[in-house]
Short mmCIF file of all heavy atoms in Angstrom, two decimals:
data_model
loop_
_atom_site.label_atom_id
_atom_site.label_comp_id
_atom_site.label_asym_id
_atom_site.label_seq_id
_atom_site.Cartn_x
_atom_site.Cartn_y
_atom_site.Cartn_z
N CYS A 180 11.27 3.37 -5.66
CA CYS A 180 10.72 4.34 -6.60
C CYS A 180 11.78 5.43 -6.79
O CYS A 180 12.40 5.87 -5.81
CB CYS A 180 9.45 4.95 -6.02
SG CYS A 180 8.76 6.25 -7.06
N HIS A 182 11.34 8.45 -7.51
CA HIS A 182 10.86 9.78 -7.10
C HIS A 182 11.01 9.95 -5.58
O HIS A 182 11.39 9.02 -4.88
CB HIS A 182 9.41 9.98 -7.54
CG HIS A 182 9.25 9.86 -9.02
ND1 HIS A 182 9.79 10.76 -9.90
CD2 HIS A 182 8.65 8.90 -9.79
CE1 HIS A 182 9.51 10.39 -11.14
NE2 HIS A 182 8.83 9.25 -11.11
N ASP A 183 10.64 11.13 -5.10
CA ASP A 183 10.89 11.41 -3.68
C ASP A 183 9.84 12.37 -3.13
O ASP A 183 10.17 13.45 -2.63
CB ASP A 183 12.30 12.01 -3.55
CG ASP A 183 12.78 12.03 -2.11
OD1 ASP A 183 12.16 11.35 -1.28
OD2 ASP A 183 13.76 12.74 -1.82
N CYS A 184 8.58 11.98 -3.24
CA CYS A 184 7.48 12.84 -2.76
C CYS A 184 7.59 13.01 -1.24
O CYS A 184 7.93 12.05 -0.55
CB CYS A 184 6.14 12.23 -3.14
SG CYS A 184 6.05 11.81 -4.89
N PHE A 186 5.64 13.18 1.29
CA PHE A 186 4.78 12.47 2.24
C PHE A 186 5.02 10.97 2.22
O PHE A 186 4.42 10.22 2.98
CB PHE A 186 3.30 12.72 1.89
CG PHE A 186 2.94 12.28 0.50
CD1 PHE A 186 2.52 10.99 0.26
CD2 PHE A 186 3.06 13.15 -0.57
CE1 PHE A 186 2.21 10.57 -1.03
CE2 PHE A 186 2.75 12.75 -1.87
CZ PHE A 186 2.33 11.45 -2.08
N CYS A 187 5.89 10.49 1.33
CA CYS A 187 5.96 9.06 1.03
C CYS A 187 7.07 8.38 1.83
O CYS A 187 8.19 8.87 1.88
CB CYS A 187 6.19 8.87 -0.46
SG CYS A 187 6.22 7.14 -0.94
N VAL A 189 8.23 5.43 1.06
CA VAL A 189 8.97 4.49 0.21
C VAL A 189 10.41 4.96 0.01
O VAL A 189 11.37 4.21 0.23
CB VAL A 189 8.26 4.34 -1.16
CG1 VAL A 189 9.10 3.51 -2.12
CG2 VAL A 189 6.91 3.68 -0.96
N SER A 190 10.58 6.24 -0.39
CA SER A 190 11.94 6.70 -0.65
C SER A 190 12.73 6.87 0.65
O SER A 190 13.95 6.78 0.67
CB SER A 190 11.93 8.01 -1.45
OG SER A 190 10.97 8.88 -0.94
N ASP A 222 5.65 -0.53 -5.57
CA ASP A 222 5.22 0.86 -5.41
C ASP A 222 5.09 1.57 -6.76
O ASP A 222 4.31 2.50 -6.90
CB ASP A 222 6.22 1.62 -4.53
CG ASP A 222 6.23 1.02 -3.13
OD1 ASP A 222 5.17 1.04 -2.49
OD2 ASP A 222 7.28 0.49 -2.71
N THR A 250 3.02 5.61 -11.74
CA THR A 250 2.78 7.05 -11.80
C THR A 250 2.10 7.37 -13.13
O THR A 250 2.02 6.53 -14.02
CB THR A 250 4.11 7.84 -11.73
OG1 THR A 250 4.84 7.58 -12.93
CG2 THR A 250 4.92 7.46 -10.51
N GLU A 276 -2.69 12.86 -6.76
CA GLU A 276 -2.59 13.64 -5.50
C GLU A 276 -3.42 14.91 -5.51
O GLU A 276 -4.23 15.12 -4.61
CB GLU A 276 -1.14 13.97 -5.09
CG GLU A 276 -0.08 12.91 -5.36
CD GLU A 276 -0.33 11.53 -4.79
OE1 GLU A 276 -1.35 11.33 -4.12
OE2 GLU A 276 0.50 10.63 -5.04
N LYS A 288 6.16 17.09 -5.84
CA LYS A 288 5.65 16.24 -6.92
C LYS A 288 5.30 17.09 -8.13
O LYS A 288 4.33 16.82 -8.84
CB LYS A 288 4.44 15.44 -6.42
CG LYS A 288 4.14 14.21 -7.25
CD LYS A 288 3.36 13.17 -6.52
CE LYS A 288 3.23 11.91 -7.37
NZ LYS A 288 2.72 10.77 -6.64
N TRP A 290 6.65 17.23 -10.84
CA TRP A 290 6.76 16.53 -12.13
C TRP A 290 5.40 15.98 -12.56
O TRP A 290 5.21 15.58 -13.70
CB TRP A 290 7.82 15.42 -12.07
CG TRP A 290 7.71 14.53 -10.87
CD1 TRP A 290 8.32 14.68 -9.67
CD2 TRP A 290 6.92 13.34 -10.76
NE1 TRP A 290 7.96 13.66 -8.81
CE2 TRP A 290 7.12 12.83 -9.46
CE3 TRP A 290 6.07 12.65 -11.63
CZ2 TRP A 290 6.48 11.67 -9.01
CZ3 TRP A 290 5.44 11.49 -11.19
CH2 TRP A 290 5.66 11.02 -9.88
S1 LIG B 16 5.85 8.45 -6.95
FE1 LIG B 16 4.60 7.30 -5.47
S2 LIG B 16 5.95 5.69 -4.65
FE2 LIG B 16 7.24 7.22 -5.68
S3 LIG B 16 7.91 8.60 -4.04
FE3 LIG B 16 6.07 9.50 -4.97
S4 LIG B 16 4.32 8.72 -3.76
FE4 LIG B 16 6.14 7.45 -3.29
#
Side-chain angles (χ1 to χ4, degrees):
C180 176
H182 301 293
D183 193 15
C184 309
F186 59 89
C187 182
V189 173
S190 44
D222 296 300
T250 68
E276 323 305 359
K288 200 157 186 169
W290 48 269

